[in-house]
Amino acid sequence: MTDQNVTPDAAEAQVRDLAEIPAVEVITRAAIMLMSAAAEKIGLSHENPDNSPHRDLDEARRLITALAGLVTASAEYLGPHAGPVRDGLKGLQLAFREASAAPDEPGQGPGEKYTGPVW
C-alpha cells in the first residue's frame, strides 16, 4: 500500500515505524477509529443527530459490528484499555438503538452477536 509519490526509502521508514508500535497500541488506535467513524454515522457529532448530513445507520451498524468483533477478539490484550473501549462500544450500541426508527430486538443489534444483548 505505497503511494506512487512515496520514495522506497520513505516507504521503508513507514514500515519500520509500524514495526515499532506495540500491538496493543495498534489495536487501540483501530478501535478508536471505528468508534469515531460509527459516532459520525450515527450523527453524534452533529448538534441534532437526526438531521446530521453524515447520518447513515447502515454504515454505523457495520462499523459497530466490526468494533465489537475487534474488542471481543482482543480484550485480553488491551489491559487497562479494555474497560474504556468496551464502555465506548456499549455507548455506541445504545446510541444506535436510540437512533433507530425500529430498534432491533435485544441481542440482534449491531455487534451484539459478539457482546451479548445491550440494554
Side-chain angles (χ1 to χ4, degrees):
M1 178 172 98
T2 59
D3 186 341
Q4 291 179 354
N5 298 326
V6 176
T7 66
D9 289 339
E12 188 176 323
Q14 289 174 345
V15 171
R16 275 196 312 266
D17 289 345
L18 283 174
E20 295 173 8
I21 301 172
V24 67
E25 188 172 335
V26 174
I27 294 166
T28 303
R29 285 183 187 186
I32 290 169
M33 180 175 278
L34 289 166
M35 283 181 186
S36 297
E40 285 290 332
K41 297 295 184 179
I42 294 171
L44 298 178
S45 66
H46 196 267
E47 185 177 302
N48 182 351
D50 292 334
N51 295 327
S52 172
H54 304 292
R55 188 174 193 145
D56 185 336
L57 295 183
D58 288 335
E59 288 285 300
R61 178 183 295 278
R62 293 179 184 119
L63 292 162
I64 294 168
T65 299
L67 174 62
L70 176 65
V71 171
T72 300
S74 61
E76 68 182 289
Y77 308 117
L78 295 177
H81 303 285
V85 171
R86 279 190 189 127
D87 291 346
L89 169 59
K90 183 177 181 179
L92 288 168
Q93 289 171 311
L94 292 171
F96 182 92
R97 183 177 305 281
E98 187 176 305
S100 297
D104 298 310
E105 292 294 320
Q108 302 301 309
E112 291 183 11
K113 69 180 177 182
Y114 300 112
T115 63
V118 175
W119 309 96

